[in-house]
Structure formats: C-alpha cells, structure tokens
C-alpha cells in the first residue's frame, strides 16, 4: 500500500485536496466529466472545505457518496447534509451531486432508485475517498451487520445494498465492495494514532468479515493518506 504522511491535518487537507483536484482535472480532460465518491463521518470535513476552493470546472464534476445513513437530508446524521455544508460550497457549489437517500421509507426499498441514479455518475469512478471506523468498517460495510456477506461478495448483483449495523444507529445505504473497487484512484483517508493502530491491526490479519477494510486493501491499489 502506498502511504503519504503529512505533518498535520491542516497540511494534509491542503495537499490532498490539490491531488484530488488534479485527478478530477485529468478525468475532465480525458472524458469531459469526472466523478468523486466521498465518505461521511468527521474525518473528511476539513478536507472538503479546502477542496471546495479548488480551481476546477466543477460543473463537470459529479459528486456522490460511498454510503449514506437512511435519515432525511436535513438530519445531522446525514452524509448528504455534511457534504452539502462542507464540500458543495464556494467553487464546488457548481458540482452535480447524486445523493443516496431517496423517498423510500426503508433503505431496502430505496436500493432500486440508487441503482438507477448510478447512471448519472461517470464510471469507473475517478476518485474514491474512503474512511474507516474503529471496527474496521469502510463505507457502510459493517463487520457486525447481517448483510456483510452480500456487501463483500464480489458477485453480488447490485452496486448498492441496504445495511443495518448492529453497533451504529440507522439503516445505511452502501456501495458494495465490487462497486467501490470500480474506481481509478482509491484513497484511505485517516487521521490520528487510534485509526493508524486500527489500520495496523487490519494489515496484520486476513479475516475480511472481522475487518471489511481488509477486503479493499487486498484487492485494490489503495493509497493511505494520513496525518497525526
Ligand atoms: O458515513 C459513514 O459513517 C462512513 O462513510 C464511514 O465509513 C466513515 O468513513 C467511518 O465511520 C469513519 O468515520 P469518522 O471519520 O467519523 O471517524
């Protein structure tokens, strides 16, 4: 795994946002459009603020989510809300956003619309930014969920699945492992020693059901972007 370490999160946010903008520009130059798939959680918020100011023809960028919590887009737990507040502002306000939460009451019933909307996102994805939880989950591929077998099954027939984590509130919608891997550049964005220790544990073992991030690390060229 390639690893890029920055002195602190501020430098990481500045430098990593430039890298991402460069890769999106490459996608635009080659295909007229580029896609950026982002994760939720707290880690990427400062990065998004930097990225939102990148010089880029954002009208040619499609932004979407690796996963979403099945709550209204006005709820504080919503990844869409976070992305709208931190990324889709400034220059990046012109990006096209494809959200995952739709009108379906249950996440399981919302899968079909997510699959249909995937048509709007250029594929393979140009840039995928993953996070990781302390239990080794990534996107919403949770080790404790009943759906983890489906999520990690490379032959799972749909690119999205509804997931109920046993250890976190709210049903989720997640890209499947196979759909996540359909990306040109995959970054694992982590900050802090605790996440580093979780990653070290993941790298030291094999069981993907125990730590789903292993499934990504095993099958793809992933670049770790880390700061203390
Ligand atoms: O919506 C989510 O919860 C995610 O996409 C998830 O996979 C996240 O990246 C990790 O849980 C890390 O979250 P933190 O950055 O908050 O630690």
């Amino acid at each position: 795994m390639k690893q890029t370490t920055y002195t602190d999160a501020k430098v990481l946010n500045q430098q990593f946002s430039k890298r991402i903008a460069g890769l999106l520009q490459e996608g635009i130059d080659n295909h007229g459009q580029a896609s950026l798939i982002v994760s939720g959680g707290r880690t990427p918020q400062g990065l998004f603020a930097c990225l939102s100011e990148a010089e880029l023809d954002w009208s040619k960028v499609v932004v979407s989510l690796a996963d979403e919590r099945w709550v209204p887009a006005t709820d504080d737990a919503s990844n869409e809300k976070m992305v709208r507040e931190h990324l889709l502002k400034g220059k990046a306000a012109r990006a096209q956003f494809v959200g995952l939460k739709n009108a379906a009451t249950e996440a399981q019933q919302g899968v079909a619309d997510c699959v249909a909307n995937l048509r709007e996102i250029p594929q393979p994805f140009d840039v995928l930014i993953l996070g990781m939880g302390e239990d080794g989950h990534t996107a919403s591929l949770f080790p404790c969920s009943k759906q983890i077998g489906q999520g990690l099954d490379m032959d799972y027939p749909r690119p999205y699945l509804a997931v109920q984590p046993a250890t976190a509130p709210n049903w989720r919608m997640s890209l499947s492992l196979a759909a996540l891997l359909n990306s040109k550049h995959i970054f694992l964005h982590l900050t802090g020693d605790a996440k580093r220790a979780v990653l070290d544990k993941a790298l030291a073992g094999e069981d993907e059901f125990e730590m789903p991030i292993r499934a990504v690390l095993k099958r793809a060229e992933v670049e770790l972007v880390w700061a203390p």
Side-chain angles (χ1 to χ4, degrees), residues 67-121:
D67 67 315
E68 178 61 286
R69 297 110 190 255
W70 212 251
V71 295
T74 48
D75 192 297
D76 282 343
S78 162
N79 284 343
E80 175 169 343
K81 180 171 192 247
M82 189 277 278
V83 167
R84 287 191 186 283
E85 283 174 6
H86 294 273
L87 177 59
L88 301 173
K89 60 179 190 174
K91 298 196 170 70
R94 298 183 66 218
Q96 183 192 331
F97 178 69
V98 177
L100 302 185
K101 175 69 174 71
N102 52 52
T105 321
E106 310 286 340
Q108 293 101 314
Q109 296 149 8
V111 172
D113 275 2
C114 289
V115 173
N117 292 341
L118 188 61
R119 275 195 304 259
E120 295 172 37
I121 311 175

CSV table of all heavy atoms in Angstrom, one decimal, residues 67-121:
chain,number,residue,atom,x,y,z
A,67,ASP,N,-21.5,5.9,1.0
A,67,ASP,CA,-22.6,5.4,1.8
A,67,ASP,C,-23.4,6.5,2.4
A,67,ASP,O,-22.9,7.7,2.4
A,67,ASP,CB,-22.0,4.5,2.9
A,67,ASP,CG,-21.2,5.2,3.9
A,67,ASP,OD1,-20.3,6.1,3.5
A,67,ASP,OD2,-21.4,5.0,5.1
A,68,GLU,N,-24.5,6.1,2.9
A,68,GLU,CA,-25.4,7.2,3.5
A,68,GLU,C,-26.2,6.5,4.6
A,68,GLU,O,-26.5,5.3,4.6
A,68,GLU,CB,-26.4,7.7,2.4
A,68,GLU,CG,-27.4,8.7,2.9
A,68,GLU,CD,-26.8,10.0,3.4
A,68,GLU,OE1,-26.3,9.9,4.6
A,68,GLU,OE2,-26.9,11.0,2.8
A,69,ARG,N,-26.5,7.3,5.6
A,69,ARG,CA,-27.4,6.9,6.7
A,69,ARG,C,-28.9,7.1,6.2
A,69,ARG,O,-29.1,8.2,5.6
A,69,ARG,CB,-27.1,7.7,8.0
A,69,ARG,CG,-25.7,7.4,8.5
A,69,ARG,CD,-24.8,8.6,8.3
A,69,ARG,NE,-23.4,8.4,8.6
A,69,ARG,CZ,-22.8,8.7,9.7
A,69,ARG,NH1,-23.5,9.4,10.7
A,69,ARG,NH2,-21.6,8.5,9.9
A,70,TRP,N,-29.8,6.2,6.5
A,70,TRP,CA,-31.1,6.4,6.0
A,70,TRP,C,-32.0,7.3,6.8
A,70,TRP,O,-32.9,6.9,7.5
A,70,TRP,CB,-31.8,5.0,5.8
A,70,TRP,CG,-32.8,5.0,4.6
A,70,TRP,CD1,-34.1,5.0,4.7
A,70,TRP,CD2,-32.4,5.2,3.3
A,70,TRP,NE1,-34.7,5.1,3.4
A,70,TRP,CE2,-33.6,5.2,2.5
A,70,TRP,CE3,-31.2,5.3,2.6
A,70,TRP,CZ2,-33.7,5.4,1.2
A,70,TRP,CZ3,-31.3,5.4,1.2
A,70,TRP,CH2,-32.5,5.4,0.5
A,71,VAL,N,-31.6,8.6,6.8
A,71,VAL,CA,-32.3,9.6,7.5
A,71,VAL,C,-32.5,10.8,6.6
A,71,VAL,O,-31.8,10.9,5.5
A,71,VAL,CB,-31.4,10.1,8.7
A,71,VAL,CG1,-31.2,9.0,9.8
A,71,VAL,CG2,-30.0,10.7,8.2
A,72,PRO,N,-33.4,11.7,6.9
A,72,PRO,CA,-33.7,12.8,6.0
A,72,PRO,C,-32.4,13.6,5.8
A,72,PRO,O,-31.5,13.7,6.7
A,72,PRO,CB,-34.7,13.6,6.7
A,72,PRO,CG,-35.4,12.7,7.7
A,72,PRO,CD,-34.3,11.7,8.1
A,73,ALA,N,-32.3,14.3,4.6
A,73,ALA,CA,-31.1,15.0,4.3
A,73,ALA,C,-30.9,16.3,5.2
A,73,ALA,O,-29.9,17.0,5.1
A,73,ALA,CB,-31.1,15.4,2.8
A,74,THR,N,-31.9,16.5,6.0
A,74,THR,CA,-31.8,17.6,7.0
A,74,THR,C,-31.3,17.2,8.3
A,74,THR,O,-31.1,18.0,9.2
A,74,THR,CB,-33.2,18.2,7.2
A,74,THR,OG1,-34.2,17.2,7.4
A,74,THR,CG2,-33.7,19.0,5.9
A,75,ASP,N,-31.2,15.9,8.5
A,75,ASP,CA,-30.8,15.3,9.8
A,75,ASP,C,-29.3,15.5,10.0
A,75,ASP,O,-28.5,15.3,9.1
A,75,ASP,CB,-31.2,13.8,9.8
A,75,ASP,CG,-31.1,13.1,11.2
A,75,ASP,OD1,-29.9,13.1,11.7
A,75,ASP,OD2,-32.1,12.6,11.6
A,76,ASP,N,-28.9,15.7,11.2
A,76,ASP,CA,-27.4,15.9,11.5
A,76,ASP,C,-26.6,14.7,11.2
A,76,ASP,O,-25.4,14.8,11.0
A,76,ASP,CB,-27.2,16.3,12.9
A,76,ASP,CG,-27.5,17.8,13.1
A,76,ASP,OD1,-27.6,18.6,12.1
A,76,ASP,OD2,-27.7,18.2,14.3
A,77,ALA,N,-27.3,13.5,11.2
A,77,ALA,CA,-26.5,12.3,10.9
A,77,ALA,C,-26.4,12.1,9.4
A,77,ALA,O,-25.6,11.1,8.9
A,77,ALA,CB,-27.3,11.1,11.5
A,78,SER,N,-27.0,12.9,8.6
A,78,SER,CA,-27.0,12.7,7.1
A,78,SER,C,-25.6,13.0,6.5
A,78,SER,O,-25.1,14.1,6.7
A,78,SER,CB,-28.1,13.6,6.5
A,78,SER,OG,-27.8,13.7,5.1
A,79,ASN,N,-25.1,12.1,5.7
A,79,ASN,CA,-23.8,12.4,5.0
A,79,ASN,C,-24.1,13.5,3.9
A,79,ASN,O,-23.2,14.3,3.6
A,79,ASN,CB,-23.3,11.1,4.4
A,79,ASN,CG,-22.6,10.2,5.4
A,79,ASN,OD1,-22.3,10.7,6.5
A,79,ASN,ND2,-22.4,9.0,5.1
A,80,GLU,N,-25.3,13.4,3.3
A,80,GLU,CA,-25.6,14.4,2.3
A,80,GLU,C,-25.5,15.8,2.9
A,80,GLU,O,-25.0,16.8,2.3
A,80,GLU,CB,-27.0,14.1,1.7
A,80,GLU,CG,-27.4,15.2,0.7
A,80,GLU,CD,-28.7,14.9,0.0
A,80,GLU,OE1,-29.0,13.7,-0.1
A,80,GLU,OE2,-29.3,15.8,-0.6
A,81,LYS,N,-26.1,15.9,4.1
A,81,LYS,CA,-26.1,17.2,4.8
A,81,LYS,C,-24.6,17.7,5.0
A,81,LYS,O,-24.3,18.9,4.7
A,81,LYS,CB,-26.8,17.1,6.1
A,81,LYS,CG,-26.9,18.4,6.9
A,81,LYS,CD,-27.8,18.3,8.1
A,81,LYS,CE,-28.0,19.7,8.7
A,81,LYS,NZ,-27.5,19.9,10.0
A,82,MET,N,-23.8,16.8,5.5
A,82,MET,CA,-22.4,17.1,5.7
A,82,MET,C,-21.7,17.6,4.4
A,82,MET,O,-21.0,18.6,4.4
A,82,MET,CB,-21.7,15.9,6.4
A,82,MET,CG,-20.3,16.2,6.9
A,82,MET,SD,-19.1,16.1,5.7
A,82,MET,CE,-18.8,14.3,5.6
A,83,VAL,N,-21.9,16.8,3.4
A,83,VAL,CA,-21.3,17.1,2.1
A,83,VAL,C,-21.8,18.4,1.6
A,83,VAL,O,-21.0,19.2,1.0
A,83,VAL,CB,-21.5,15.9,1.1
A,83,VAL,CG1,-21.1,16.3,-0.3
A,83,VAL,CG2,-20.6,14.7,1.5
A,84,ARG,N,-23.1,18.7,1.7
A,84,ARG,CA,-23.6,20.0,1.2
A,84,ARG,C,-23.0,21.1,2.0
A,84,ARG,O,-22.6,22.2,1.5
A,84,ARG,CB,-25.1,20.0,1.3
A,84,ARG,CG,-25.8,19.2,0.3
A,84,ARG,CD,-27.3,19.4,0.2
A,84,ARG,NE,-28.0,18.5,-0.7
A,84,ARG,CZ,-28.0,18.6,-2.0
A,84,ARG,NH1,-27.3,19.6,-2.6
A,84,ARG,NH2,-28.6,17.7,-2.8
A,85,GLU,N,-22.8,21.0,3.3
A,85,GLU,CA,-22.3,22.0,4.1
A,85,GLU,C,-20.8,22.3,4.0
A,85,GLU,O,-20.3,23.4,4.0
A,85,GLU,CB,-22.6,21.7,5.6
A,85,GLU,CG,-24.0,22.0,6.0
A,85,GLU,CD,-24.4,21.6,7.4
A,85,GLU,OE1,-23.4,21.2,8.2
A,85,GLU,OE2,-25.5,21.6,7.7
A,86,HIS,N,-20.0,21.2,3.8
A,86,HIS,CA,-18.6,21.3,3.8
A,86,HIS,C,-17.9,21.3,2.4
A,86,HIS,O,-16.9,21.9,2.2
A,86,HIS,CB,-18.0,20.2,4.6
A,86,HIS,CG,-18.3,20.4,6.1
A,86,HIS,ND1,-17.6,21.1,7.0
A,86,HIS,CD2,-19.3,19.8,6.8
A,86,HIS,CE1,-18.1,21.1,8.2
A,86,HIS,NE2,-19.2,20.3,8.1
A,87,LEU,N,-18.6,20.6,1.4
A,87,LEU,CA,-17.9,20.4,0.1
A,87,LEU,C,-18.6,21.2,-1.0
A,87,LEU,O,-18.0,21.9,-1.8
A,87,LEU,CB,-17.8,19.0,-0.2
A,87,LEU,CG,-17.3,18.6,-1.6
A,87,LEU,CD1,-15.8,19.1,-1.8
A,87,LEU,CD2,-17.3,17.1,-1.9
A,88,LEU,N,-19.9,21.1,-1.0
A,88,LEU,CA,-20.7,21.7,-2.2
A,88,LEU,C,-21.0,23.2,-1.9
A,88,LEU,O,-22.1,23.6,-1.9
A,88,LEU,CB,-22.0,20.9,-2.4
A,88,LEU,CG,-21.8,19.4,-2.7
A,88,LEU,CD1,-23.1,18.7,-2.7
A,88,LEU,CD2,-21.0,19.2,-4.0
A,89,LYS,N,-19.9,23.9,-1.7
A,89,LYS,CA,-20.0,25.4,-1.5
A,89,LYS,C,-18.8,26.0,-2.2
A,89,LYS,O,-18.0,25.3,-2.8
A,89,LYS,CB,-19.9,25.6,0.0
A,89,LYS,CG,-18.6,25.1,0.6
A,89,LYS,CD,-18.5,25.4,2.1
A,89,LYS,CE,-17.1,25.1,2.6
A,89,LYS,NZ,-16.9,25.5,4.0
A,90,GLY,N,-18.7,27.3,-2.2
A,90,GLY,CA,-17.6,28.0,-2.9
A,90,GLY,C,-17.6,27.6,-4.3
A,90,GLY,O,-18.7,27.5,-5.0
A,91,LYS,N,-16.4,27.3,-4.8
A,91,LYS,CA,-16.3,26.9,-6.2
A,91,LYS,C,-17.0,25.6,-6.5
A,91,LYS,O,-17.6,25.4,-7.6
A,91,LYS,CB,-14.8,26.8,-6.6
A,91,LYS,CG,-14.1,28.2,-6.5
A,91,LYS,CD,-12.8,28.1,-7.2
A,91,LYS,CE,-12.1,29.5,-7.3
A,91,LYS,NZ,-11.6,30.0,-5.9
A,92,ALA,N,-17.0,24.7,-5.5
A,92,ALA,CA,-17.6,23.4,-5.7
A,92,ALA,C,-19.1,23.4,-5.7
A,92,ALA,O,-19.7,22.4,-5.9
A,92,ALA,CB,-17.0,22.4,-4.7
A,93,ALA,N,-19.7,24.5,-5.4
A,93,ALA,CA,-21.2,24.6,-5.4
A,93,ALA,C,-21.7,24.3,-6.8
A,93,ALA,O,-22.9,23.9,-6.9
A,93,ALA,CB,-21.6,26.0,-5.0
A,94,ARG,N,-20.9,24.4,-7.8
A,94,ARG,CA,-21.4,24.1,-9.2
A,94,ARG,C,-21.3,22.6,-9.5
A,94,ARG,O,-21.8,22.2,-10.6
A,94,ARG,CB,-20.6,24.9,-10.2
A,94,ARG,CG,-20.7,26.4,-10.0
A,94,ARG,CD,-20.0,27.2,-11.1
A,94,ARG,NE,-20.6,27.0,-12.4
A,94,ARG,CZ,-19.9,26.8,-13.5
A,94,ARG,NH1,-18.6,26.9,-13.5
A,94,ARG,NH2,-20.5,26.7,-14.7
A,95,ALA,N,-20.8,21.8,-8.7
A,95,ALA,CA,-20.7,20.3,-8.9
A,95,ALA,C,-22.1,19.7,-9.0
A,95,ALA,O,-23.0,20.3,-8.3
A,95,ALA,CB,-19.9,19.6,-7.9
A,96,GLN,N,-22.3,18.7,-9.7
A,96,GLN,CA,-23.6,17.9,-9.7
A,96,GLN,C,-23.5,16.9,-8.5
A,96,GLN,O,-22.5,16.2,-8.4
A,96,GLN,CB,-23.7,17.2,-11.0
A,96,GLN,CG,-25.1,16.4,-11.1
A,96,GLN,CD,-25.1,15.5,-12.3
A,96,GLN,OE1,-24.5,15.7,-13.3
A,96,GLN,NE2,-25.9,14.4,-12.2
A,97,PHE,N,-24.5,16.9,-7.7
A,97,PHE,CA,-24.5,15.9,-6.6
A,97,PHE,C,-25.5,14.8,-6.8
A,97,PHE,O,-26.7,15.1,-7.1
A,97,PHE,CB,-24.8,16.7,-5.3
A,97,PHE,CG,-24.8,15.8,-4.1
A,97,PHE,CD1,-23.6,15.2,-3.6
A,97,PHE,CD2,-26.0,15.5,-3.4
A,97,PHE,CE1,-23.6,14.3,-2.5
A,97,PHE,CE2,-26.0,14.7,-2.3
A,97,PHE,CZ,-24.8,14.1,-1.9
A,98,VAL,N,-25.1,13.6,-6.6
A,98,VAL,CA,-26.1,12.5,-6.7
A,98,VAL,C,-26.1,11.9,-5.3
A,98,VAL,O,-25.2,11.2,-4.9
A,98,VAL,CB,-25.6,11.4,-7.7
A,98,VAL,CG1,-26.6,10.2,-7.7
A,98,VAL,CG2,-25.5,12.0,-9.1
A,99,GLY,N,-27.2,12.2,-4.6
A,99,GLY,CA,-27.4,11.7,-3.2
A,99,GLY,C,-27.9,10.3,-3.2
A,99,GLY,O,-28.4,9.8,-4.3
A,100,LEU,N,-27.8,9.6,-2.1
A,100,LEU,CA,-28.3,8.2,-2.0
A,100,LEU,C,-29.7,8.2,-1.3
A,100,LEU,O,-30.5,7.3,-1.6
A,100,LEU,CB,-27.3,7.4,-1.3
A,100,LEU,CG,-25.9,7.3,-1.9
A,100,LEU,CD1,-25.0,6.3,-1.1
A,100,LEU,CD2,-26.0,6.9,-3.3
A,101,LYS,N,-29.9,9.0,-0.4
A,101,LYS,CA,-31.2,9.0,0.3
A,101,LYS,C,-32.3,9.4,-0.6
A,101,LYS,O,-32.2,10.4,-1.3
A,101,LYS,CB,-31.2,9.9,1.6
A,101,LYS,CG,-32.5,10.0,2.3
A,101,LYS,CD,-32.9,8.7,3.0
A,101,LYS,CE,-34.1,8.9,3.9
A,101,LYS,NZ,-35.3,9.1,3.1
A,102,ASN,N,-33.3,8.6,-0.7
A,102,ASN,CA,-34.5,8.9,-1.6
A,102,ASN,C,-35.8,8.8,-0.8
A,102,ASN,O,-35.7,8.6,0.4
A,102,ASN,CB,-34.4,8.1,-2.9
A,102,ASN,CG,-34.3,6.6,-2.6
A,102,ASN,OD1,-35.1,6.0,-1.8
A,102,ASN,ND2,-33.3,5.9,-3.1
A,103,ALA,N,-36.9,8.8,-1.5
A,103,ALA,CA,-38.2,8.9,-0.8
A,103,ALA,C,-38.6,7.6,-0.1
A,103,ALA,O,-39.5,7.6,0.7
A,103,ALA,CB,-39.3,9.3,-1.8
A,104,ALA,N,-38.0,6.5,-0.4
A,104,ALA,CA,-38.3,5.2,0.2
A,104,ALA,C,-38.2,5.3,1.7
A,104,ALA,O,-37.2,5.9,2.3
A,104,ALA,CB,-37.5,4.1,-0.3
A,105,THR,N,-39.2,4.8,2.4
A,105,THR,CA,-39.2,4.8,3.9
A,105,THR,C,-38.1,3.9,4.4
A,105,THR,O,-37.3,4.3,5.3
A,105,THR,CB,-40.5,4.4,4.5
A,105,THR,OG1,-41.6,4.9,3.7
A,105,THR,CG2,-40.7,4.8,5.9
A,106,GLU,N,-38.0,2.7,3.8
A,106,GLU,CA,-37.0,1.8,4.3
A,106,GLU,C,-35.8,1.8,3.3
A,106,GLU,O,-36.0,1.8,2.1
A,106,GLU,CB,-37.6,0.3,4.3
A,106,GLU,CG,-38.9,0.2,5.0
A,106,GLU,CD,-38.7,0.2,6.5
A,106,GLU,OE1,-37.6,0.0,7.0
A,106,GLU,OE2,-39.7,0.5,7.2
A,107,ALA,N,-34.6,1.6,3.8
A,107,ALA,CA,-33.4,1.6,2.9
A,107,ALA,C,-33.5,0.5,1.9
A,107,ALA,O,-33.2,0.7,0.7
A,107,ALA,CB,-32.2,1.4,3.8
A,108,GLN,N,-34.1,-0.7,2.3
A,108,GLN,CA,-34.1,-1.8,1.3
A,108,GLN,C,-34.9,-1.4,0.1
A,108,GLN,O,-34.6,-1.8,-1.0
A,108,GLN,CB,-34.8,-3.0,1.9
A,108,GLN,CG,-34.0,-3.7,3.0
A,108,GLN,CD,-34.6,-3.3,4.4
A,108,GLN,OE1,-34.8,-2.1,4.6
A,108,GLN,NE2,-34.7,-4.3,5.3
A,109,GLN,N,-36.0,-0.6,0.3
A,109,GLN,CA,-36.8,-0.2,-0.8
A,109,GLN,C,-36.2,0.9,-1.6
A,109,GLN,O,-36.6,1.3,-2.7
A,109,GLN,CB,-38.2,0.3,-0.3
A,109,GLN,CG,-39.0,-0.8,0.4
A,109,GLN,CD,-39.9,-0.2,1.4
A,109,GLN,OE1,-40.1,1.0,1.6
A,109,GLN,NE2,-40.5,-1.1,2.2
A,110,GLY,N,-35.2,1.5,-1.0
A,110,GLY,CA,-34.5,2.6,-1.7
A,110,GLY,C,-33.4,2.2,-2.7
A,110,GLY,O,-32.9,3.0,-3.4
A,111,VAL,N,-33.0,0.9,-2.6
A,111,VAL,CA,-31.9,0.4,-3.4
A,111,VAL,C,-32.1,0.7,-4.9
A,111,VAL,O,-31.2,1.2,-5.6
A,111,VAL,CB,-31.6,-1.1,-3.1
A,111,VAL,CG1,-30.6,-1.6,-4.1
A,111,VAL,CG2,-31.2,-1.3,-1.7
A,112,ALA,N,-33.3,0.4,-5.4
A,112,ALA,CA,-33.6,0.4,-6.8
A,112,ALA,C,-33.3,1.8,-7.4
A,112,ALA,O,-32.7,2.0,-8.4
A,112,ALA,CB,-35.0,0.0,-7.1
A,113,ASP,N,-33.8,2.9,-6.6
A,113,ASP,CA,-33.6,4.2,-7.1
A,113,ASP,C,-32.1,4.6,-7.1
A,113,ASP,O,-31.6,5.3,-8.0
A,113,ASP,CB,-34.3,5.2,-6.3
A,113,ASP,CG,-35.8,5.4,-6.7
A,113,ASP,OD1,-36.1,4.7,-7.7
A,113,ASP,OD2,-36.5,6.2,-6.1
A,114,CYS,N,-31.4,4.1,-6.1
A,114,CYS,CA,-29.9,4.4,-6.1
A,114,CYS,C,-29.3,3.8,-7.3
A,114,CYS,O,-28.4,4.4,-7.9
A,114,CYS,CB,-29.3,3.8,-4.8
A,114,CYS,SG,-29.8,4.7,-3.3
A,115,VAL,N,-29.6,2.5,-7.6
A,115,VAL,CA,-29.1,1.8,-8.7
A,115,VAL,C,-29.4,2.6,-10.0
A,115,VAL,O,-28.5,2.8,-10.9
A,115,VAL,CB,-29.6,0.4,-8.8
A,115,VAL,CG1,-29.1,-0.3,-10.1
A,115,VAL,CG2,-29.1,-0.4,-7.6
A,116,ALA,N,-30.6,3.1,-10.1
A,116,ALA,CA,-31.0,3.8,-11.3
A,116,ALA,C,-30.2,5.1,-11.5
A,116,ALA,O,-29.7,5.5,-12.5
A,116,ALA,CB,-32.5,4.1,-11.3
A,117,ASN,N,-29.9,5.8,-10.3
A,117,ASN,CA,-29.2,7.1,-10.4
A,117,ASN,C,-27.7,6.9,-10.7
A,117,ASN,O,-27.1,7.9,-11.0
A,117,ASN,CB,-29.4,7.8,-9.0
A,117,ASN,CG,-30.8,8.3,-8.9
A,117,ASN,OD1,-31.6,8.3,-9.8
A,117,ASN,ND2,-31.2,8.6,-7.6
A,118,LEU,N,-27.2,5.7,-10.5
A,118,LEU,CA,-25.8,5.4,-10.7
A,118,LEU,C,-25.4,5.8,-12.2
A,118,LEU,O,-24.3,6.1,-12.5
A,118,LEU,CB,-25.5,4.0,-10.4
A,118,LEU,CG,-24.0,3.5,-10.4
A,118,LEU,CD1,-23.2,4.3,-9.4
A,118,LEU,CD2,-24.0,2.0,-10.1
A,119,ARG,N,-26.4,5.7,-13.1
A,119,ARG,CA,-26.2,6.1,-14.5
A,119,ARG,C,-25.6,7.5,-14.6
A,119,ARG,O,-25.0,7.8,-15.6
A,119,ARG,CB,-27.6,6.1,-15.2
A,119,ARG,CG,-28.0,4.7,-15.7
A,119,ARG,CD,-29.1,4.9,-16.8
A,119,ARG,NE,-30.2,5.7,-16.2
A,119,ARG,CZ,-31.3,5.1,-15.7
A,119,ARG,NH1,-31.5,3.8,-15.8
A,119,ARG,NH2,-32.3,5.8,-15.2
A,120,GLU,N,-26.0,8.4,-13.7
A,120,GLU,CA,-25.5,9.8,-13.8
A,120,GLU,C,-24.1,10.0,-13.3
A,120,GLU,O,-23.5,11.1,-13.5
A,120,GLU,CB,-26.4,10.7,-12.9
A,120,GLU,CG,-27.8,10.7,-13.3
A,120,GLU,CD,-28.7,11.4,-12.3
A,120,GLU,OE1,-28.2,12.4,-11.7
A,120,GLU,OE2,-29.8,11.0,-12.1
A,121,ILE,N,-23.5,8.9,-12.8
A,121,ILE,CA,-22.1,9.1,-12.2
A,121,ILE,C,-21.1,8.4,-13.2
A,121,ILE,O,-21.2,7.2,-13.5
A,121,ILE,CB,-22.0,8.4,-10.8
A,121,ILE,CG1,-23.1,8.8,-9.9
A,121,ILE,CG2,-20.6,8.7,-10.2
A,121,ILE,CD1,-23.2,8.2,-8.6
